[in-house]
Amino acid sequence: MPQDHDAGYRLLFSDPRLVRDLVCGFIDDSWVQQLDFSTLERVNGHYVSEHMRQRESDVVWRLRSGEDWLYLYLLIEFQSKNDRFMALRLMVYVGLLWQDLQRRSEIGGHSGHDLLPPVLPIVLYNGRPRWRAPLRLSELLPRLPAFLKPLQPQMGYVLIDEGAVPQNRLLQLSHNLAAILFRIEHPPSPAAVKAAVDDLVTATENEAYRPLRRTLRLWLRAALRRNTKYPILLDNVDELGEMRAMLSESIEQWAREFRAEGLAEGIEKGIEKGIEKGLAKGREEGREEGVLMGEARVLSRQLRRRFGDLPHWVEERLANASIDELALWAETILDAGSLEEMFSPPASRH
């Protein structure tokens, strides 16, 4: 992934509200929900090892857990491949964090704290392939004798794989800033991008969000520009509200062009098939069939982006549909919650 993407996320998660929403929205544990997020403080993320080689972490915070401090180690990954040795990397980073706290006399010596503070390691992954790397260091070790096994280091981490979070869960978190970012990064359709940006504007309307809104504007421009399916350029807009308005226009234009492209392709294929049948009658039949194929092709693409891969019975309905049926389905696609709401599935599915 580009470095500006990586840096943009680091900048966003340097804001305590995004960190709070990430942890509360995507770590399902009652203990986590009871942490005092009002005490969040940034911690220096630059460490120097004993060999004087600087190691830079991603984002490190601390907050109160009862009477003690808990450290949040947020490591943001944008690489296209899984890092099989992520647990090992985190073990090194956490060790350097503890070593740095000891060097600065925040633990041990005259600090009054003789125990290492707990660390909650989080990996926020934005890559396209789903994360498959081991979540615990023990999974990287061979089978060990009973005596040796407890003597090995123990390290695990919490994985938040953005692309693996179901869209319906993200939609339920309509005021959670982290969830809104995930929806913009992994949208099922252009309409979903607009809905997420609408929620982003609403969630940051309060004047307290003014400094964060500037960072969000910069990140949003980059996120929309690098979308491989439907890139949208909003480089000359400075306010989130203006970006939302221009985004609506861009999405409508994109939909019109996409529809025209699909119709033209279908008509062309229909004409070719009609010519094979023979001259004038074949051309007329081909044009009619081409229009149907074009409408069905456009609707099939929209359904795939909305619901994923289509079952065979839906493909059959599209292939055998009349022009009136296709038009009706095209009007209901944005409101339907499932394929079953749009179509009558085969009796065997009931």
Side-chain angles (χ1 to χ4, degrees):
M1 283 287 175
Q3 291 183 353
D4 61 342
H5 190 190
D6 198 339
Y9 250 47
R10 282 199 186 98
L11 191 57
L12 285 172
F13 285 97
S14 296
D15 186 284
R17 287 159 295 200
L18 267 161
V19 175
R20 176 201 61 204
D21 284 0
L22 179 72
V23 174
C24 292
F26 297 95
I27 299 182
D28 187 16
D29 187 274
S30 58
W31 170 79
V32 171
Q33 307 300 324
Q34 296 172 11
L35 296 174
D36 187 358
F37 287 91
S38 68
T39 64
L40 272 171
E41 296 179 4
R42 278 296 301 276
V43 176
N44 175 28
H46 297 266
Y47 311 121
V48 179
S49 71
E50 291 180 353
H51 298 287
M52 303 304 293
R53 291 177 298 187
Q54 181 168 305
R55 305 291 291 267
E56 181 178 351
S57 68
D58 285 78
V59 184
V60 183
W61 291 84
R62 72 173 186 171
L63 75 167
R64 286 286 184 181
S65 174
E67 297 297 323
D68 299 316
W69 286 105
L70 165 74
Y71 284 78
L72 293 178
Y73 198 116
L74 178 57
L75 193 146
I76 304 172
E77 283 295 308
F78 292 101
Q79 55 194 30
S80 58
K81 297 180 181 179
N82 284 216
D83 185 346
R84 174 169 173 76
F85 294 97
M86 177 58 71
L88 174 60
R89 284 177 57 189
L90 277 166
M91 183 186 73
V92 173
Y93 293 162
V94 170
L96 287 171
L97 169 62
W98 282 332
Q99 189 177 61
D100 185 64
L101 292 175
Q102 183 186 33
R103 181 179 59 82
R104 292 188 283 111
S105 300
E106 294 190 26
I107 56 175
H110 301 290
S111 67
H113 300 282
D114 294 328
L115 299 177
L116 298 174
V119 179
L120 173 58
I122 303 171
V123 172
L124 175 58
Y125 175 65
N126 192 291
R128 293 298 174 186
R130 298 284 59 81
W131 188 264
R132 294 290 182 269
L135 301 183
R136 295 189 174 278
L137 190 64
S138 58
E139 298 177 50
L140 298 173
L141 296 172
R143 185 183 296 273
L144 299 171
F147 169 77
L148 188 57
K149 188 173 182 179
L151 301 179
Q152 305 308 300
Q154 303 296 314
M155 184 71 201
Y157 58 91
V158 175
L159 171 68
I160 301 177
D161 184 347
E162 292 185 15
V165 181
Q167 280 290 315
N168 59 351
R169 181 180 178 187
L170 295 177
L171 290 171
Q172 291 172 357
L173 300 170
S174 59
H175 295 287
N176 184 297
L177 290 177
I180 296 172
L181 299 189
F182 296 176
R183 289 163 56 194
I184 295 173
E185 287 277 16
H186 304 274
S189 68
V193 177
K194 180 182 180 302
V197 173
D198 287 344
D199 286 343
L200 181 64
V201 173
T202 301
T204 58
E205 283 179 340
N206 191 290
E207 187 63 22
Y209 285 92
R210 177 182 289 273
L212 178 60
R213 280 201 295 267
R214 181 180 183 278
T215 303
L216 286 167
R217 288 197 303 270
L218 297 174
W219 174 84
L220 182 58
R221 285 176 183 167
L224 295 176
R225 184 172 59 247
R226 66 174 170 264
N227 188 306
T228 56
K229 290 184 178 179
Y230 19 80
I232 298 173
L233 301 180
L234 299 176
D235 291 338
N236 297 322
V237 187
D238 292 326
E239 293 296 333
L240 283 178
E242 295 175 3
M243 294 180 77
R244 174 169 59 177
M246 289 193 66
L247 180 61
S248 298
E249 296 176 5
S250 298
I251 288 177
E252 290 175 5
Q253 179 181 357
W254 182 92
R256 287 195 299 269
E257 292 174 354
F258 183 78
R259 184 177 180 84
E261 177 188 345
L263 283 173
E265 182 181 352
I267 290 173
E268 181 180 352
K269 289 184 178 296
I271 290 175
E272 292 175 357
K273 187 174 181 179
I275 289 175
E276 292 175 359
K277 294 180 179 179
L279 301 175
K281 182 178 179 180
R283 279 193 172 93
E284 185 60 30
E285 291 176 353
R287 286 183 183 276
E288 294 177 359
E289 185 171 356
V291 171
L292 284 173
M293 290 176 62
E295 291 282 357
R297 186 181 297 274
V298 170
L299 186 57
S300 176
R301 289 182 181 178
Q302 292 174 335
L303 288 169
R304 289 178 189 278
R305 285 182 174 159
R306 180 78 192 280
F307 300 107
D309 292 339
L310 302 180
H312 181 67
W313 62 269
V314 171
E315 297 282 13
E316 287 186 351
R317 292 295 302 276
L318 293 175
N320 299 313
S322 67
I323 192 69
D324 291 335
E325 287 177 317
L326 291 172
L328 176 62
W329 294 334
E331 292 177 358
T332 60
I333 186 173
L334 292 179
D335 297 323
S338 65
L339 291 170
E340 286 75 13
E341 288 184 21
M342 291 188 59
F343 306 91
S344 298
S348 61
R349 293 181 172 268
H350 284 286

